[in-house]
Amino acid sequence: MDKYKRNERLAVMSQVLADNPNRIFTLSHFCEMFGAAKSTVSEDTAILSRTLKEFGIGTLETVTGASGGMRFRPMTQPGTGRRLLENICDQLKTPGRILPGGYLYFSDILSDPTMVRGMSRVIAAEYYEKSIDFVLTMETKGIPVALMTAEALHVPLLIARRSSKVYEGSAVNINYVSGHGGIETMSLSRRAAREGSTALIVDDFMRGGGTARGMISLMEEFRCRVEGICFVLSTESSEQRLPVCEKSLMVMRENGRGETPDIVVGDWVK
Amino acid sequence: MDKYKRNERLAVMSQVLADNPNRIFTLSHFCEMFGAAKSTVSEDTAILSRTLKEFGIGTLETVTGASGGMRFRPMTQPGTGRRLLENICDQLKTPGRILPGGYLYFSDILSDPTMVRGMSRVIAAEYYEKSIDFVLTMETKGIPVALMTAEALHVPLLIARRSSKVYEGSAVNINYVSGHGGIETMSLSRRAAREGSTALIVDDFMRGGGTARGMISLMEEFRCRVEGICFVLSTESSEQRLPVCEKSLMVMRENGRGETPDIVVGDWVK
């Protein structure tokens, strides 16, 4: 007789998988946890997979091969991401968010854990199949979204700094032209990235693309490949395209000073 | 007859709760989700609560009163947090982490999503009963741990900046004496915090406590109360105590230049 009931096993597996998105678990992992036979856990997995799909929570896949097992990927059902972002667009369009100079205040959204988690999952869903080794962001405002994207992909986060810090060890520094035309510096610890790795760049906002181009140059210095770049928000007038395929969760059409901007969800979001 | 089986309901509830720590869900929320009777969902909750406790995953509590329902708090079982931090201490003591000048390299750990989540849950567990309204951190390295602590507490994160930014709107700036004796500035958007709120300060490292005192002053300016301060790492020689009860996940005993420091888990960690 099994030590635990099926409903107990499913409750626990569900928690463990929710806590560890995109991480591969072997069947044996759960067999040991529950003192149950492989056939039992295999059947549990099938039920769990079907149920999580039915409720639009995510995809539980079987991974074959030597390092095989199962892998959970949250919120990959069409519609879920788009609805979430439409809600955020509505919030961004509320009056009072336009600051002097025509800037949009959205720092609160960029550090609200619930909204950040949702946005990060939409981003992660686009890159699950791309063998990303790490997520790179530039301090400061993009860090929350980048962190949770890294969590969803089960990879580390690397944070480029505006200047090299003594507690980062030896660092690679590059200069780049910022959106405002000035020369700025970007620094990343030498030990942060391994040559030949694949990076996903995640940042909060793109207008001119200067910082993004800086991060691409930085990755060249580390001999890492940039698979993609994803922004939370970009302006429609971001005319200077980047050398790497870029995506933006939301796109802003500026209406001139002081007016509420029109913000829409990126076309690619399912 | 119920539309879904108990094991399906438990799998879904488990996911929803894992994704929304410390958020109160009414019984009705799940009744509607599953088209099930209150008595059924109530029984589900009892099984889930017992199972999650048995596996040391967390506590599912019943909340009474007008806004009553259930609330899940991850990893509050004694031993879990301490084991996790002992593992991190071991990693920090590996050779090669000591940088010129005796600094300890631990940026990789501060932005590893799995480790950050674990550390954040240990912090959150100490403050679940304290009615925290928001988590405050100072850019940059503490942001990941602070964000996930905020997520675990189901509250927003506020990020103080080194200088005021045009896209943060009008800001409160304060000057403070840094660990190195210099005068530094700290800035937080005026609209970030509401008067009378309760803050939990989370940061990566404390030596002299200058930045921490700066954040306390900043909260005074906002007329917010600081309930506690928690660091990932502090030095044993942090002799100047802070005016607010401080905790540190790990404490470092420095052995002088170049030697591997002795790092232990904070006494208070269960």
Side-chain angles (χ1 to χ4, degrees):
Chain A
M1 206 200 114
D2 290 321
K3 199 176 163 199
Y4 298 99
K5 288 188 191 150
R6 166 147 290 149
N7 59 44
E8 293 167 332
R9 292 194 306 268
L10 287 185
V12 171
M13 284 175 76
S14 203
Q15 275 271 346
V16 172
L17 294 166
D19 255 12
N20 295 281
N22 212 32
R23 176 172 151 191
I24 296 175
F25 286 95
T26 59
L27 268 190
S28 315
H29 178 92
F30 291 110
C31 292
E32 280 166 35
M33 191 176 231
F34 302 125
K38 281 207 173 185
S39 57
T40 308
V41 174
S42 183
E43 220 178 299
D44 290 345
T45 309
I47 297 169
L48 195 53
S49 172
R50 205 189 56 228
T51 309
L52 296 180
K53 191 173 178 182
E54 188 171 345
F55 280 86
I57 289 172
T59 314
L60 179 60
E61 289 172 351
T62 304
V63 184
T64 51
S67 59
M70 68 189 87
R71 180 176 53 196
F72 173 67
R73 291 169 169 178
M75 204 177 74
T76 50
Q77 320 297 316
T80 332
R82 178 158 284 273
R83 274 195 301 278
L84 175 116
L85 292 170
E86 280 166 356
N87 279 333
I88 296 179
C89 285
D90 289 343
Q91 288 193 46
L92 289 177
K93 284 185 274 191
T94 52
R97 285 197 172 269
I98 299 298
L99 301 171
Y103 292 91
L104 180 73
Y105 179 77
F106 73 125
S107 297
D108 55 338
I109 289 180
L110 289 173
S111 65
D112 177 283
T114 307
M115 281 188 266
V116 166
R117 192 183 46 225
M119 295 190 284
S120 300
R121 286 182 177 182
V122 175
I123 299 173
E126 282 296 300
Y127 298 96
Y128 279 133
E129 304 299 338
K130 302 291 188 186
S131 303
I132 302 297
D133 293 308
F134 60 84
V135 171
L136 172 72
T137 194
M138 169 81 180
E139 61 179 344
T140 296
K141 285 166 71 191
I143 297 175
V145 177
L147 175 75
M148 288 199 178
T149 303
E151 184 188 32
L153 292 170
H154 195 60
V155 298
L157 169 68
L158 273 50
I159 303 172
R161 309 291 303 260
R162 283 196 193 81
S163 59
S164 57
K165 307 286 175 187
V166 63
Y167 44 74
E168 300 278 1
S170 72
V172 175
N173 294 288
I174 62 143
N175 296 317
Y176 67 98
V177 181
S178 81
H180 310 93
I183 302 291
E184 306 215 16
T185 305
M186 188 181 285
S187 172
L188 185 64
S189 174
R190 172 62 77 188
R191 59 178 90 195
R194 192 182 305 175
E195 194 176 312
S197 305
T198 301
L200 169 64
I201 294 175
V202 174
D203 210 355
D204 59 318
F205 186 62
M206 180 176 84
R207 180 172 273 121
T211 309
R213 269 186 289 271
M215 285 192 273
I216 293 168
S217 306
L218 189 63
M219 288 295 93
E220 282 167 6
E221 288 297 322
F222 277 86
R223 299 185 195 282
C224 290
R225 199 172 67 81
V226 178
E227 174 62 42
I229 306 190
C230 197
F231 302 97
V232 172
L233 187 65
S234 67
T235 57
E236 204 186 34
S237 54
S238 311
E239 70 290 332
Q240 291 177 280
R241 294 293 98 181
L242 299 174
V244 171
C245 177
E246 74 196 62
K247 290 177 193 292
S248 187
L249 292 176
M250 294 172 285
V251 180
M252 178 163 70
R253 197 177 295 131
E254 286 164 301
N255 294 325
R257 290 200 157 219
E259 269 185 68
T260 307
D262 191 24
I263 300 169
V264 296
V265 178
D267 292 335
W268 59 277
V269 178
K270 288 187 271 288
Chain B
M1 203 200 115
D2 290 322
K3 199 175 163 199
Y4 298 99
K5 288 186 190 151
R6 167 147 289 149
N7 59 44
E8 293 167 332
R9 292 195 306 267
L10 287 186
V12 171
M13 284 174 75
S14 202
Q15 275 271 345
V16 171
L17 294 166
D19 256 12
N20 295 281
N22 212 31
R23 177 172 151 191
I24 296 174
F25 286 94
T26 59
L27 267 189
S28 315
H29 178 92
F30 291 110
C31 293
E32 279 166 35
M33 191 176 234
F34 302 124
K38 280 207 172 182
S39 57
T40 308
V41 174
S42 183
E43 219 178 300
D44 290 345
T45 310
I47 297 169
L48 196 52
S49 172
R50 205 189 55 229
T51 309
L52 297 180
K53 190 173 179 184
E54 189 171 344
F55 280 86
I57 290 173
T59 314
L60 179 60
E61 289 173 351
T62 304
V63 184
T64 53
S67 60
M70 68 189 88
R71 180 175 55 195
F72 173 67
R73 292 170 169 178
M75 204 179 73
T76 49
Q77 322 297 316
T80 332
R82 178 158 283 273
R83 273 194 302 278
L84 176 115
L85 292 169
E86 280 167 356
N87 278 333
I88 296 179
C89 285
D90 289 343
Q91 287 192 48
L92 289 177
K93 285 185 274 191
T94 53
R97 286 197 172 267
I98 299 299
L99 301 170
Y103 292 92
L104 179 74
Y105 179 77
F106 73 124
S107 298
D108 55 338
I109 289 179
L110 288 174
S111 66
D112 178 282
T114 308
M115 281 187 268
V116 165
R117 192 183 46 226
M119 293 189 285
S120 301
R121 286 181 177 182
V122 175
I123 299 173
E126 282 296 300
Y127 298 96
Y128 280 133
E129 304 299 340
K130 303 290 187 186
S131 304
I132 302 298
D133 292 309
F134 61 83
V135 171
L136 173 72
T137 194
M138 169 82 182
E139 62 180 342
T140 297
K141 284 166 72 190
I143 297 175
V145 177
L147 174 75
M148 288 199 177
T149 304
E151 185 188 31
L153 292 169
H154 194 59
V155 298
L157 169 67
L158 273 49
I159 303 173
R161 310 291 302 261
R162 282 194 195 81
S163 59
S164 58
K165 308 285 176 188
V166 63
Y167 44 75
E168 300 278 1
S170 72
V172 175
N173 294 289
I174 61 142
N175 296 316
Y176 66 99
V177 181
S178 81
H180 311 92
I183 303 292
E184 305 215 16
T185 305
M186 188 181 285
S187 173
L188 184 65
S189 174
R190 171 63 76 187
R191 58 178 91 194
R194 192 181 306 174
E195 195 176 311
S197 304
T198 301
L200 169 64
I201 294 175
V202 174
D203 211 354
D204 59 319
F205 185 62
M206 180 176 84
R207 181 173 271 122
T211 310
R213 269 185 290 269
M215 285 192 272
I216 294 169
S217 306
L218 188 63
M219 288 294 94
E220 282 167 7
E221 288 297 320
F222 277 87
R223 299 185 194 281
C224 290
R225 200 173 66 82
V226 178
E227 173 62 41
I229 305 189
C230 197
F231 302 97
V232 173
L233 187 64
S234 67
T235 57
E236 205 187 31
S237 53
S238 310
E239 71 291 332
Q240 291 177 281
R241 293 294 96 181
L242 299 173
V244 171
C245 177
E246 75 197 62
K247 290 176 194 291
S248 188
L249 292 176
M250 294 172 284
V251 179
M252 178 163 67
R253 197 177 296 132
E254 286 164 300
N255 294 324
R257 289 199 159 220
E259 269 184 67
T260 307
D262 191 24
I263 299 169
V264 295
V265 179
D267 291 335
W268 59 277
V269 178
K270 287 186 272 288

